[in-house]
Amino acid sequence: MKAVIQRVTTASVTIDGNVVGQIENGFLVLLGVGQGDSEKEIEKMVKKMVGLRIFQDENGKTNLSLQDVGGQLLIVSQFTLLADCRKGRRPSFVKAGDPENANRLYEKFIDACRQHVDVVKHGEFGADMKVSLTNDGPFTIILDSDELN
């Protein structure tokens, strides 16, 4: 499981011209579910993500977490995070999870986030989405469940 976490002042996701999720002050999370991923990765990823101290305190130091600042989450499924670009010029997506399991884990990830964060918005699995954001910093972190303790 891979996540690209962007600290944002605003973010939204639109499907067919309709805004389906919108947040202020928090994280836009692009989530890719891979082959072999299971529910065991979810809690590890969520706890790490909401605990990341990447918001500024009163002294301008990045000492505060999403929970400390009452931040919001916008979660968007993005299987292209699992792209393999080692050969040729056309990315291979064979490492991406099968759609049925990936959707199930995406929904469970959203549910797990709701256990830690009051405002959790999301896109729609498999939809053609337009994502807008104002990256704050810019500050972007990549989490890979295979690399977390």
Side-chain angles (χ1 to χ4, degrees):
M1 193 171 290
K2 290 186 181 183
V4 173
I5 300 162
Q6 298 178 82
R7 187 179 74 186
V8 298
T9 55
T10 62
S12 65
V13 61
T14 302
I15 301 172
D16 294 328
N18 299 311
V19 175
V20 297
Q22 186 170 0
I23 64 162
E24 296 179 5
N25 191 43
F27 293 158
L28 168 63
V29 181
L30 305 175
L31 182 70
V33 177
Q35 284 189 12
D37 285 343
S38 67
E39 292 180 30
K40 71 179 184 177
E41 285 91 2
I42 292 172
E43 194 59 32
K44 178 172 53 170
M45 291 282 282
V46 170
K47 282 184 179 180
K48 178 64 85 170
M49 178 181 69
V50 300
L52 288 172
R53 297 181 346 177
I54 62 173
F55 289 89
Q56 292 183 351
D57 64 15
E58 65 279 357
N59 298 315
K61 303 269 188 205
T62 52
N63 281 327
L64 301 176
S65 70
L66 184 73
Q67 292 175 310
D68 294 333
V69 301
Q72 303 176 356
L73 287 172
L74 176 59
I75 304 166
V76 176
S77 175
Q78 187 165 355
F79 79 95
T80 60
L81 294 177
L82 285 294
D84 183 347
C85 298
R86 292 178 295 177
K87 294 181 182 178
R89 295 180 293 153
R90 183 185 307 251
S92 169
F93 298 104
V94 297
K95 293 181 182 180
D98 74 88
E100 185 176 319
N101 189 50
N103 185 27
R104 183 181 66 80
L105 293 176
Y106 170 68
E107 295 293 336
K108 288 198 174 284
F109 186 91
I110 292 167
D111 290 341
C113 287
R114 289 188 171 127
Q115 302 301 312
H116 301 276
V117 178
D118 290 335
V119 177
V120 179
K121 304 293 183 175
H122 56 87
E124 182 182 317
F125 186 89
D128 180 18
M129 297 175 276
K130 308 301 181 213
V131 179
S132 299
L133 71 137
T134 302
N135 194 319
D136 184 17
F139 213 119
T140 302
I141 302 285
I142 300 173
L143 293 182
D144 186 327
S145 60
D146 291 338
E147 298 173 356
L148 297 179
N149 294 326

